[in-house]
Amino acid sequence: MKKTGLLAITLMLALSLFACSKKEGNNIATGGTSASNADTIVIGVASDWKTMDPARAYEVYGNFYFYATYENLYMVEGSDLTPKPVLAKEYTVDDSGLVYTFKLDEGHKFSSGNPVTANDVVFSFNRTKNIKGNAAALTEGVAKVEAKDDKTVVVTLKAKDASFLSKITGNAFAVLDSKVVKEKGGSDAADASTSDKASAYLDGASAGSGPYVLKKWTANTEMVLEKNPNYKGTVNASKIIIKEMPDPNTQIQALEKGDIDVALSVGPDQVKSIKAGGKSKVVSSPTSTISFLLMNNKPEISKEMANPLVQQAVRYALDYKGFQQLAGDGALLPLSFVQKGFVGAKSRPDNYQNIEKAKELMKQAGFENGFTVPLTAANYDSEGLSWITIAEKVKEDLAKINIKVEIKTGEIGVVIDDYRNGKAPFIVMHWSPDYYDLNNQLAFIPGDIVGKRANWDPAANSELVSLAEQAKVEIDDTKRAEISSKMQDIMAENSPYAFLVQHPKSFAVSSKLEGVAYNDLCKLHLNDLKLSK
């Protein structure tokens, strides 16, 4: 959720460039994949990129770029979010659970030709930590990182962290060519937040060992990537051109004209149009983005929504199947705060909605005759589904138990402030993980990040707080799944949230494009893409 504000700002910038995008649409034919240029793949996106510096980037689309140009010790592959070794060939953990020793794989070289060494890993981890940007949040648990020799890295954690391997798959832990970056003013020193001067260089050139090198990036316009001749793995297309195209309809038109090969930023409505046209392929995959309702637990802000019986009535009154249909093919219904793909995830039963039970709960709460409540929904969307559309559905459902919903709209930049400050009585919101592990979802626990926004104090449910502490350090998957299951059951019955739907990602590609596998962390593995002749 920390990324939402950045997305909002980007969206506004993107909308301001709408006219520009149409001009781009007239020009991209020269960069498209005509039969004579099948070695170049062109992608239309509406990204949120702010910087190409791995130590500073924190945007949703960040790893779309970093997975193309850098490598990490562990990364995700295909559609799977499970960490797999890349620069590392193996690791061990000592009995304390705090000390991870990684042995580096042989043969990895940066695009400069320099070999990847343990010192590069140490530099990269320390640089992110000491720059102290948004990405540094993921390095907070690292006490120290050391190079025992050229091929051995030892990472010592401050406390046990069952999510550590998942955390190091993201750009905060991308490994940079330390020799090159230092030459360009880079620093991993304790004062790197002020002394590091390499970001300007990294915004125009990559310094990694990934499949591509950055040749050009013009923010909000275009990025050009070319094949890294020193990459150890397989690269299919020699060049990738990424075009910023904020309007999804423009993306579809360009795809159907053959000007681009991927229309990555389209919504459920465009998907229907693409399927009807039959000229392109639609790819749908689950994401880890969930939409939810927050009901403020503080009576001074909303005496009705703070009532646990009302909160439970709301959950039983909602038509979850209806939300699933709105979100489109591939949408899922998690029982609670743990999405499918995370350890121990549970699905909502088909017969969960129960209007009579909801009415009885409203009667027990003293609101048999109902009440009126404002529901805030920003002018925003999750994977193409408008939050206002979600709010309208909530209004329709809650009318059946005599709750009159008055929808309030506003720009995300304004709405988000009340949400983050715990002042929103009833609000539509979404959550997109910073890393793909149960620990990231613990933000919903009483007293944690989202819990505070709902004014849900730790004393309100000490059992949940205790289970969360266990989940953070338990590395046995079976035991962790049991903890996760217990927490979901409790949250489904007693919490200030109603989790609505886990969104799918749908996009369109040329019928000639092969090797397409969507991954919620890096979006697409660009080196796997290939155009058939």
Side-chain angles (χ1 to χ4, degrees):
M1 190 56 249
K2 286 172 278 188
K3 297 169 180 171
T4 300
L6 292 174
L7 263 177
I9 295 168
T10 300
L11 181 61
M12 288 186 282
L13 287 171
L15 290 172
S16 72
L17 292 169
F18 179 78
C20 180
S21 74
K22 291 189 174 181
K23 292 176 183 175
E24 288 176 17
N26 292 332
N27 295 333
I28 57 177
T30 54
T33 54
S34 65
S36 61
N37 194 21
D39 201 28
T40 298
I41 292 173
V42 185
I43 300 172
V45 302
S47 83
D48 57 349
W49 289 323
K50 299 296 181 190
T51 174
M52 297 297 127
D53 184 342
R56 299 180 188 274
Y58 203 57
E59 288 76 46
V60 171
Y61 273 81
N63 283 296
F64 182 43
Y65 165 74
F66 294 114
Y67 262 60
T69 49
Y70 291 84
E71 292 180 299
N72 297 24
L73 295 177
Y74 274 69
M75 303 176 81
V76 297
E77 294 179 354
S79 297
D80 191 3
L81 292 168
T82 306
K84 303 285 175 51
V86 177
L87 288 178
K89 61 180 179 182
E90 61 185 15
Y91 79 96
T92 58
V93 188
D94 76 344
D95 291 340
S96 71
L98 299 177
V99 182
Y100 285 69
T101 300
F102 295 91
K103 291 290 185 181
L104 299 191
D105 190 27
E106 299 287 343
H108 292 265
K109 291 183 178 180
F110 293 107
S111 56
S112 66
N114 293 329
V116 177
T117 70
N119 284 324
D120 295 305
V121 179
V122 173
F123 171 83
S124 303
F125 283 26
N126 283 335
R127 182 170 179 268
T128 296
K129 184 174 184 177
N130 291 328
I131 278 180
K132 300 177 182 177
N134 288 326
L138 298 178
T139 69
E140 286 179 354
V142 176
K144 61 180 178 181
V145 53
E146 304 166 283
K148 289 297 183 185
D149 55 49
D150 275 356
K151 294 297 178 184
T152 307
V153 179
V154 179
V155 180
T156 303
L157 304 182
K158 296 175 182 175
K160 285 185 179 179
D161 183 357
S163 64
F164 178 60
L165 276 191
S166 291
K167 287 178 178 174
I168 66 172
T169 62
N171 61 274
F173 295 92
V175 177
L176 292 80
D177 187 333
S178 60
K179 292 180 180 176
V180 169
V181 176
K182 286 178 181 176
E183 288 173 0
K184 302 299 180 182
S187 172
D188 67 340
D191 65 350
S193 61
T194 55
S195 63
D196 182 275
K197 305 298 181 186
S199 287
Y201 170 75
L202 293 171
D203 281 346
S206 52
S209 56
Y212 290 96
V213 294
L214 176 62
K215 302 301 290 186
K216 172 188 173 186
W217 176 52
T218 304
N220 303 313
T221 303
E222 181 181 274
M223 173 184 288
V224 178
L225 305 172
E226 290 185 358
K227 187 175 182 177
N228 173 9
N230 292 314
Y231 179 60
K232 185 179 179 181
T234 301
V235 182
N236 290 319
S238 295
K239 180 184 284 188
I240 303 286
I241 299 173
I242 300 172
K243 296 278 187 180
E244 291 286 355
M245 305 175 76
D247 178 27
N249 292 313
T250 302
Q251 289 191 30
I252 298 305
Q253 292 169 12
L255 179 67
E256 295 189 344
K257 288 169 60 182
D259 293 338
I260 64 174
D261 304 295
V262 180
L264 193 56
S265 305
V266 299
D269 291 341
Q270 287 79 34
V271 166
K272 293 176 184 175
S273 169
I274 297 162
K275 288 181 176 177
K279 296 180 180 178
S280 306
K281 295 188 292 187
V282 173
V283 180
S284 294
S285 177
T287 71
S288 295
T289 299
I290 49 176
S291 286
F292 66 98
L293 300 175
L294 182 145
M295 297 170 271
N296 204 303
N297 221 44
K298 195 170 187 177
E300 292 83 353
I301 293 176
S302 174
K303 69 175 183 179
E304 297 91 355
M305 302 314 294
N307 189 313
L309 293 171
V310 171
Q311 294 170 358
Q312 186 65 330
V314 168
R315 281 188 287 272
Y316 277 114
L318 295 170
D319 168 24
Y320 298 94
K321 289 290 184 183
F323 289 107
Q324 189 175 29
Q325 290 175 1
L326 285 175
D329 293 345
L332 301 170
L333 297 179
L335 174 64
S336 182
F337 72 116
V338 179
Q339 310 94 318
K340 184 177 180 181
F342 287 34
V343 63
K346 304 179 78 168
S347 298
R348 190 176 296 282
D350 288 341
N351 59 349
Y352 190 90
Q353 186 187 29
N354 188 330
I355 298 297
E356 293 308 312
K357 188 171 183 176
K359 288 181 176 177
E360 178 58 31
L361 287 162
M362 288 286 285
K363 183 178 180 181
Q364 292 177 28
F367 296 113
E368 184 176 12
N369 296 322
F371 55 83
T372 299
V373 62
L375 173 62
T376 304
N379 296 316
Y380 201 68
D381 71 80
S382 299
E383 302 297 350
L385 178 59
S386 161
W387 291 7
I388 295 173
T389 300
I390 292 175
E392 289 170 345
K393 174 64 176 163
V394 171
K395 179 179 181 177
E396 176 186 325
D397 291 350
L398 297 192
K400 295 174 183 175
I401 60 170
N402 297 323
I403 295 179
K404 183 180 179 182
V405 169
E406 295 181 343
I407 298 172
K408 295 174 58 181
T409 63
E411 295 306 316
I412 184 72
V414 176
V415 168
I416 202 77
D417 284 343
D418 277 352
Y419 163 69
R420 288 178 172 165
N421 293 326
K423 295 181 179 178
F426 191 29
I427 188 169
V428 176
M429 193 48 63
H430 83 182
W431 178 265
S432 180
D434 295 332
Y435 57 94
Y436 293 82
D437 185 88
L438 174 64
N439 284 7
N440 191 265
Q441 299 308 109
L442 301 180
F444 287 93
I445 295 297
D448 214 306
I449 296 172
V450 185
K452 289 179 180 176
R453 293 167 182 171
N455 288 298
W456 199 24
D457 298 326
N461 198 318
S462 59
E463 182 182 8
L464 262 179
V465 175
S466 174
L467 288 168
E469 291 303 312
Q470 296 172 45
K472 288 177 182 176
V473 299
E474 180 57 69
I475 59 175
D476 183 299
D477 283 345
T478 302
K479 292 179 180 177
R480 204 159 184 243
E482 291 174 357
I483 297 169
S484 172
S485 176
K486 288 180 183 176
M487 288 193 292
Q488 290 168 74
D489 288 340
I490 294 171
M491 291 269 259
E493 294 293 314
N494 182 10
S495 74
Y497 317 112
F499 293 91
L500 303 176
V501 65
Q502 182 175 344
H503 293 270
K505 172 69 178 179
S506 294
F507 58 101
V509 303
S510 161
S511 58
K512 295 181 178 179
L513 192 67
E514 301 172 356
V516 181
Y518 184 79
N519 188 293
D520 206 28
L521 175 60
C522 63
K523 314 312 176 193
L524 296 173
H525 298 276
L526 298 182
N527 54 310
D528 290 340
L529 300 181
K530 181 179 180 180
L531 284 163
S532 61
K533 297 181 180 177

